[in-house]
């Protein structure tokens, strides 16, 4: 078979440009050399001594392997001399090779073999039909068509790559946006969790301080009662009953201080009611003439955990537990004016 250089020369290309293309493409084949010639037809031929296969600057690629049989037939036909018959005697008898499966005729075995690989046909026979050579006008037109087709394929490939790049960029941006949103949601949840924990810690601190304060008051009262008992023993007087003195302490105090706070006529009493089981305290303001039962009814209206008939009230300071009979007494009589803190259980 003729070399790539001979084939290009037979197609009518300038010998200097053929030499340039073969050297620039490094002898990689007929198609790269022809692509080089077509792409550089408007450029002057450089000094071939400075040309190497790596400095050609050609970005051409071989034509896709999937081009159809007619394109390959045309390309081979343009060479004019490819795959000549091995003997002049055989050329006179068999001028072509015919595919009996589809009826196509080929000028030489190389084209027939290529057709067999592409189509899968395997039935061929010699034929006396002669493949007419292309005229100069047909050759030029076929070259232009091949060049246009090659440009179209490259353009289509560039469009596909651009679409793929755009799709990948869209996916990347969407993933980044979702990741940022996830991080923001995580920060919000963490902030809410920390705020809730601070709130719980604050409540626990308040309870602890209240418990400490109550314990201090209880210790003070215990020391006062102990001092009173010891004084009574020293003076030879009866030992006072601590429970009795605690239950009657508010009333004597009010009577003993007519000009103090306990002796004033307060029309309203402000109460803070705490549950023995813990939780948020309840506050209310009632007339001083209201009974302790009305306090129980108020508390029952705030929480289902309280029953008016079973609830009991107590004070930490002064330490006192109110009986069921105290429910009918007024807040003023119980010494709870103008304000008091009750423990409900």
């Amino acid at each position: 078979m003729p070399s790539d250089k001979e084939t290009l020369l037979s197609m009518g290309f300038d010998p200097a440009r053929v030499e340039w293309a073969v050297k620039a493409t490094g002898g990689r084949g007929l198609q790269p050399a022809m692509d080089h010639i077509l792409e550089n037809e408007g450029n002057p031929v450089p000094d071939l001594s400075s040309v190497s296969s790596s400095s050609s600057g050609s970005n051409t690629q071989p034509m896709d392997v999937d081009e159809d049989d007619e394109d390959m037939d045309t390309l081979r036909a343009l060479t004019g001399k490819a795959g000549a018959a091995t003997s002049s005697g055989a050329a006179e008898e068999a001028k072509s090779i015919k595919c009996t499966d589809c009826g196509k005729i080929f000028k030489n075995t190389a084209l027939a073999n290529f057709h067999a690989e592409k189509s899968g046909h395997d039935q061929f026979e010699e034929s006396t039909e002669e493949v007419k050579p292309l005229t100069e006008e047909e050759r030029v037109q076929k070259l232009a068509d091949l060049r246009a087709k090659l440009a179209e394929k490259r353009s289509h490939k560039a469009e596909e790559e651009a679409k793929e790049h755009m799709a990948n960029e869209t996916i990347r941006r969407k993933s980044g946006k979702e990741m940022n949103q996830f991080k923001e949601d995580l920060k919000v949840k963490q902030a809410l969790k920390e705020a809730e924990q601070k709130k719980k810690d604050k409540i626990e601190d308040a309870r602890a301080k209240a418990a400490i304060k109550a314990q201090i008051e209880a210790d003070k009262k215990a020391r006062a009662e102990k001092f009173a008992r010891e004084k009574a023993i020293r003076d030879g007087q009866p030992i006072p009953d601590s429970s009795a003195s605690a239950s009657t302490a508010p009333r004597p105090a009010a009577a003993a201080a007519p000009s103090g706070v306990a002796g004033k006529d307060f029309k309203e009493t402000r109460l803070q009611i705490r549950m023995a089981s813990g939780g948020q305290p309840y506050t209310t303001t009632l007339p001083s003439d209201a009974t302790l039962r009305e306090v129980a009814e108020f508390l029952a209206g705030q929480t289902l955990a309280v029953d008016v008939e079973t609830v009991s009230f107590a004070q930490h300071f002064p330490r006192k537990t109110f009986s069921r009979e105290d429910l009918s007494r007024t807040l003023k009589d119980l010494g709870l004016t103008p304000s008091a803190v009750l423990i409900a259980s």
Side-chain angles (χ1 to χ4, degrees), residues 211-225:
I212 293 173
K213 184 176 180 181
Q215 185 63 42
I216 292 173
E217 297 297 335
D219 292 342
K220 286 182 179 180
K221 183 179 179 182
R223 286 194 299 269
E225 291 175 353

Side-chain angles (χ1 to χ4, degrees), residues 3-5 7-8 11 13 21-22 25 27-39 58-65 67 71-76 78-79 114 142-143 145-151 153-154:
S3 63
D4 295 338
K5 180 178 178 180
T7 301
L8 292 170
M11 296 171 66
F13 291 116
V22 172
T25 58
R28 293 197 304 272
L30 176 62
Q31 187 60 46
M34 187 167 66
D35 291 341
H36 182 277
I37 294 174
L38 294 176
E39 290 191 354
S58 174
N59 294 324
T60 59
Q61 298 178 351
M63 189 174 294
D64 294 344
V65 178
E67 60 180 358
D71 293 339
M72 183 54 68
D73 291 346
T74 301
L75 181 61
R76 296 300 184 186
L78 291 174
T79 64
F114 180 81
K142 290 293 184 181
L143 283 175
D145 292 343
L146 287 174
R147 184 179 180 184
K149 185 174 182 180
L150 179 61
K153 287 183 178 180
R154 289 175 180 169

Side-chain angles (χ1 to χ4, degrees), residues 107-177:
K107 190 173 182 178
N108 51 57
T109 56
L111 296 177
N113 289 335
F114 180 81
H115 173 75
E117 292 176 1
K118 293 288 291 182
S119 63
H121 299 167
D122 57 2
Q123 300 297 322
F124 295 88
E125 63 181 11
E126 294 182 343
S127 173
T128 58
E129 296 182 42
E130 183 178 1
V131 179
K132 295 181 179 180
L134 296 175
T135 64
E136 181 64 20
E137 291 78 7
E138 291 175 336
R139 184 181 67 81
V140 172
Q141 183 61 41
K142 290 293 184 181
L143 283 175
D145 292 343
L146 287 174
R147 184 179 180 184
K149 185 174 182 180
L150 179 61
E152 181 182 357
K153 287 183 178 180
R154 289 175 180 169
S155 176
H156 178 71
K157 184 177 180 180
E159 291 177 359
E160 292 296 327
E161 290 177 351
K163 290 180 181 179
E164 184 178 358
H165 176 73
M166 185 177 296
N168 292 337
E169 183 67 14
T170 301
I171 294 174
R172 186 189 66 80
R173 291 181 180 178
K174 183 179 179 181
S175 300
K177 186 176 180 181

Side-chain angles (χ1 to χ4, degrees), residues 63 180 237 240 251:
M63 189 174 294
N180 291 336
Q237 296 179 358
R251 282 175 288 179

Side-chain angles (χ1 to χ4, degrees), residues 44-62:
V45 178
D47 184 5
L48 298 184
S49 62
S50 62
V51 175
S52 64
S53 59
S54 61
S55 63
S56 63
S58 174
N59 294 324
T60 59
Q61 298 178 351

Side-chain angles (χ1 to χ4, degrees), residues 227-239:
F227 177 78
R229 286 196 302 270
E230 291 175 351
K231 186 175 183 301
I233 293 173
R234 287 195 305 269
D235 296 343
Q237 296 179 358
I239 299 175

